[in-house]
């Protein structure tokens, strides 16, 4: 097992740079999940436009009434009125609607005047803008009708009665297959894992292989009495150990950080999926390292391949936001099927038969990728060996 | 003399495949990935018709008001809804096939049935609410005022909203990613700056040791080689710009000169930062490159390369960081000339970059010019 032992030695030497990659990933993903634990399937009522209201007509019951009404149906975002701040917030969709209630608006509404008007700024052609307009018009129209019907009513009474009427609502029923199974930080962790695992595996495996690719060392190894099949077998075993240990460390870390995700069977499904994925990526790295000649090239390949597969497979941007063509291309990468399995786990309510079938298909496709990569890699390495002999 | 040094430094740069990869190819590859990933990002934001269905039951047949209102709202392609009348069984099946976003069941209590929650569903719900509330208004007013002429009262609709538009067609926030990418490319220019410093610092490379023996002042030599690097790097930024505008179709607003100026200043700033990392300390080339990559990535992250909102979070939570982050200054200059109508913000960024450039140059020069080596 000399080759295998040499593998372990090389891995040990490359450990520091691998650890940097992994720890940067861990810090990043933990920060992001702690910071931004937003829910993917939102509660129906939370689809509220983020709105800033600047009320220059404070004290008038109708204007205050409008503001309070809007703030119960929209998500209030307090910003001071300076130009840049509002423009920036609109651009980054922190708010979608800015409403300025001008001084004297309440009086005008009470008297049926059409001036001054409300001033709004919103993103052009947006749903949320149209929705906000609708909310405002509804309030104003209802108020105007009340005022027309009984002109002598106290304004505060009008506001109260308008609010009473506007509290009425239609019943909503949700016909959804999967409900109440929202986002969990654990899922996020495993989705992002695809990126760092790909990068780390390509770097790790290619560092290992670079050492063995050296011409003199290769020649020396091939003239030794160790059989080629034995030699390749030990190399793959060395890579495999590296893969499994990395996988184990990361999975245990996820268990430690996201203990709240108490669903143990589903964690096991995630781990199994990760395990299959890492084997596949190991095959890919093994294949790529047949072509990698230098340290500089190693970095370039690791970055381009890991970013590329992750971008098109829905690691950085959720799959439903990607175009159909992109996804069609992505389905030719193992990463796509890895993410697919995670999403199945995320959205299933119970471990049913149909779920297990679809989950198993995702794993099998990944495994067939692994086999394909390994076969091609072995063929390439054989050809290289033969061309050297001549 | 100048031409000689310049020419050979240019040639040597053009043969440095690794640096060329990171400054020319890598940004373009990344831009292509961005294009794959972000092309649909804001697709659900723009307004389009909401397909709905209504269950045809007894209540529907009797409720002429609801019929009238819905018909008005679904007359043609520009109206809010496109509506179909169906039986309850049909309604469920087309809902599950995602042909409609939801359907209404008319009755004493109007019911909305949807499959997911989202904005288009909210619009249907808002309509249903409005209908229920209008019905409640009528009931309420008639109870108090039995002689009221409801028909004339409901002629009154109020529209008291005046639009104060933001600069049209300039609200696509996906551009933040691409602007941050340009900023990253500018900072990657640091590889060139670093390369030139290594080429003249005698304790960092053998070539520099030889150059130090030559009777040409080191400062002069350094400026000559830097100008060669600048040419290569500026061309790479221009190529990226060309790729972004012509092939991917990223918008930069109509201020072409501003865009070019920002690229020029950003590119020189990036190179100088690399030079600064080169002159500070005596670490090996590998360590210095690692510092440079780490620095560029961190700064680009804070200017929105990975998460666009990060740029907003930084400028609203820690405005100081906004001004000292070179990547943010570069991307913000692009952002300002794209989104802002006035050019004040653009110039603030450019001036900040120039000041930063000046400070860095002073530091680099003052360290370099006094360096003597006991034995080279």
């Amino acid at each position: 097992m000399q080759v295998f032992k040499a593998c372990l030695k090389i891995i040990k030497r490359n450990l520091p740079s691998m650890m940097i990659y992994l720890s940067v990933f861990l810090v990043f993903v933990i920060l992001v999940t702690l910071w931004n634990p937003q829910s993917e399937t939102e509660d129906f009522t939370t689809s509220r436009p983020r709105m800033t209201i600047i009320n220059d007509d404070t004290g008038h019951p109708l204007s205050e009434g409008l503001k309070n009404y809007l703030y119960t149906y929209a998500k209030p975002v307090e910003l001071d009125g300076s130009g840049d701040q509002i423009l920036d917030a609109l651009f980054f969709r922190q708010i979608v609607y800015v409403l300025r209630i001008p001084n004297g608006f309440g009086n005008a509404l009470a008297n049926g005047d059409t001036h001054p008007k409300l001033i709004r700024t919103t993103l052009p052609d947006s749903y949320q803008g149209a929705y906000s307009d609708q909310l405002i018009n509804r309030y104003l129209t209802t108020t105007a009708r009340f005022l027309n019907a009984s002109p002598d009513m106290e304004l505060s009474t009008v506001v109260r009665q308008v609010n009473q009427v506007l509290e009425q609502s239609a019943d909503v029923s949700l016909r959804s297959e999967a409900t109440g199974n929202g986002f969990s930080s654990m899922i996020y962790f495993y989705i992002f894992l695809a990126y760092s695992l790909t990068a780390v595996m390509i770097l790790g495996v290619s560092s290992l292989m670079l050492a063995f690719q050296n011409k003199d060392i290769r020649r020396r190894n091939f003239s030794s009495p160790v059989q080629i099949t034995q030699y390749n077998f030990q190399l793959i075993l060395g890579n495999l150990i590296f893969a499994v240990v990395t996988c184990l460390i990361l999975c245990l870390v996820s268990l430690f950080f996201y203990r709240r995700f108490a669903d143990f069977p589903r964690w096991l499904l995630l781990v199994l999926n990760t395990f299959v994925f890492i084997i596949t990526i190991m095959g890919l790295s093994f294949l790529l390292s047949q072509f990698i000649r230098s340290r500089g090239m190693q970095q370039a390949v690791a970055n381009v391949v890991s970013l590329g597969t992750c971008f098109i497979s829905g690691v950085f941007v959720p799959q439903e936001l990607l175009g159909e063509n992109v996804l069609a291309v992505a389905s030719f990468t193992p990463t796509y099927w890895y993410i697919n399995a995670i999403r199945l786990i995320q959205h299933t309510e119970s471990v049913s038969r149909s779920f297990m079938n679809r989950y198993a298909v995702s794993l099998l496709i990944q495994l067939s990728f692994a086999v394909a990569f390994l076969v091609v890699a072995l063929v390439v390495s054989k050809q290289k060996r033969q061309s050297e002999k001549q | 003399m100048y031409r000689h040094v310049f020419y050979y430094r240019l040639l040597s740069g053009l043969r440095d495949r690794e640096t060329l990869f990171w400054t020319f190819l890598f940004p373009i590859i990344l831009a292509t990935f961005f294009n794959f990933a972000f092309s649909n990002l804001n697709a659900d934001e723009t307004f389009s018709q909401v397909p709905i269905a209504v269950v045809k039951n007894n209540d529907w047949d009797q409720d002429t008001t609801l019929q009238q209102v819905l018909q008005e709202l679904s007359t043609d392609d520009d109206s809010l809804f496109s509506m179909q009348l169906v039986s309850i069984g049909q309604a469920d099946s087309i809902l599950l096939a995602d042909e409609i976003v939801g359907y209404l069941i008319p009755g004493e209590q109007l019911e909305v049935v949807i499959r997911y929650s989202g904005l288009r569903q909210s619009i249907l719900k808002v309509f249903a609410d409005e209908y229920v509330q209008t019905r409640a208004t009528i009931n309420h007013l008639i109870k108090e005022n039995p002689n009221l002429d409801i028909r004339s009262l409901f002629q009154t609709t109020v529209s008291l909203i005046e639009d104060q538009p933001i600069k049209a067609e300039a609200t696509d926030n996906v551009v933040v990613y691409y602007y941050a990418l340009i900023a990253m490319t500018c900072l990657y220019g640091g590889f060139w700056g670093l390369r030139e410093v290594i080429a003249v610092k005698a304790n960092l490379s053998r070539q520099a040791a030889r150059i130090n023996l030559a009777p040409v002042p080191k400062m002069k030599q350094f400026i000559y080689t830097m100008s060669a690097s600048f040419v290569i790097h500026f061309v790479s930024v221009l190529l990226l710009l060309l790729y972004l505008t012509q092939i991917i179709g990223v918008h930069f607003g109509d201020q072409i000169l501003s865009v070019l100026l920002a690229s020029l200043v950003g590119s020189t700033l990036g190179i100088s930062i690399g030079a600064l990392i080169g002159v500070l300390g005596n670490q090996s080339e590998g360590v210095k490159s690692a510092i440079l990559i780490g620095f560029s990535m961190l700064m680009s992250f804070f200017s929105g390369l990975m998460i666009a909102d990060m740029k907003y979070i930084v400028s609203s939570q820690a405005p100081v960081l906004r001004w000292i982050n070179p990547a943010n200054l570069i991307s913000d200059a692009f952002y300002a000339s794209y989104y802002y109508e006035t050019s004040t913000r653009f110039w603030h960024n450019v001036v900040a970059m120039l000041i930063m450039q000046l400070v860095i140059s002073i530091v680099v020069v003052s360290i370099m010019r006094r360096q003597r080596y006991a034995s080279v």
Side-chain angles (χ1 to χ4, degrees), chain A residues 42 44 87-88 93-94 118 120-121 125 127 131 138 145 165-166 168 170-173 175 308 321, chain B residues 40 45 47-48 92 103 111-112 114 117 119-120 126 129 133 154 160 162-164 171 335 339-340:
Chain A
E42 287 182 338
F44 183 75
L87 277 176
D88 284 354
R93 312 298 192 263
Q94 300 299 311
L118 298 170
R120 68 109 196 255
T121 302
D125 290 332
Y127 270 116
Y131 178 22
R138 183 198 307 178
R145 284 170 183 165
V165 168
L166 293 184
Q168 309 268 331
D171 290 345
V172 176
S173 39
R175 289 284 145 81
L321 292 180
Chain B
N40 279 14
E45 202 176 59
F47 189 83
S48 61
D92 261 333
Y103 62 87
E111 195 180 340
V112 180
I114 52 174
S117 32
L119 208 62
R120 286 151 69 88
V126 167
D129 283 349
Q133 289 160 6
F154 277 79
L160 286 174
E162 190 174 33
D163 193 33
Q164 189 183 51
T171 53
Y335 165 68
Y339 182 56
Y340 275 77

Side-chain angles (χ1 to χ4, degrees), chain A residues 146-159:
Chain A
F146 269 84
L147 287 168
N148 279 359
S150 20
D152 304 326
M153 207 189 279
E154 282 263 349
L155 288 182
S156 53
T157 321
V158 172
V159 170

Side-chain angles (χ1 to χ4, degrees), chain A residues 327-339:
Chain A
L327 284 179
V329 175
S331 62
F332 289 97
T333 67
T335 318
Y336 174 87
W337 297 100
Y338 169 76
I339 300 292

Side-chain angles (χ1 to χ4, degrees), chain B residues 287-303:
Chain B
V287 177
K288 281 182 189 289
S289 316
I291 294 174
L292 180 61
I293 292 185
F295 176 79
S296 314
M297 276 301 158
L298 195 67
M299 293 298 125
S300 309
F301 172 69
F302 284 122
S303 71

Side-chain angles (χ1 to χ4, degrees), chain A residues 357-388:
Chain A
N357 282 343
R358 285 189 285 171
Y359 175 76
V361 166
S362 295
L363 295 196
L364 283 178
I365 293 177
Q366 289 181 58
L367 279 178
S368 41
F369 270 112
V371 173
F373 288 143
L374 267 182
V375 168
V376 176
L378 289 176
V379 169
V380 171
S381 92
K382 185 170 185 184
Q383 272 186 344
K384 263 165 67 177
R385 221 164 44 230
Q386 281 172 343
S387 64
E388 256 169 47

Side-chain angles (χ1 to χ4, degrees), chain B residues 243-300:
Chain B
Y243 184 74
L244 290 180
T245 50
Q246 301 306 313
I247 296 186
I248 292 189
V250 180
H251 292 285
F252 283 86
D254 42 16
Q255 308 284 332
I256 296 169
L257 284 180
S258 309
V259 170
L260 287 179
L261 180 67
S263 321
L264 183 80
V265 179
S267 167
T268 44
L269 182 62
I271 298 175
S272 336
I273 289 172
L276 180 69
I277 293 175
V279 295
L280 292 174
N282 288 324
Q283 301 89 346
S284 70
E285 183 175 358
V287 177
K288 281 182 189 289
S289 316
I291 294 174
L292 180 61
I293 292 185
F295 176 79
S296 314
M297 276 301 158
L298 195 67
M299 293 298 125
S300 309

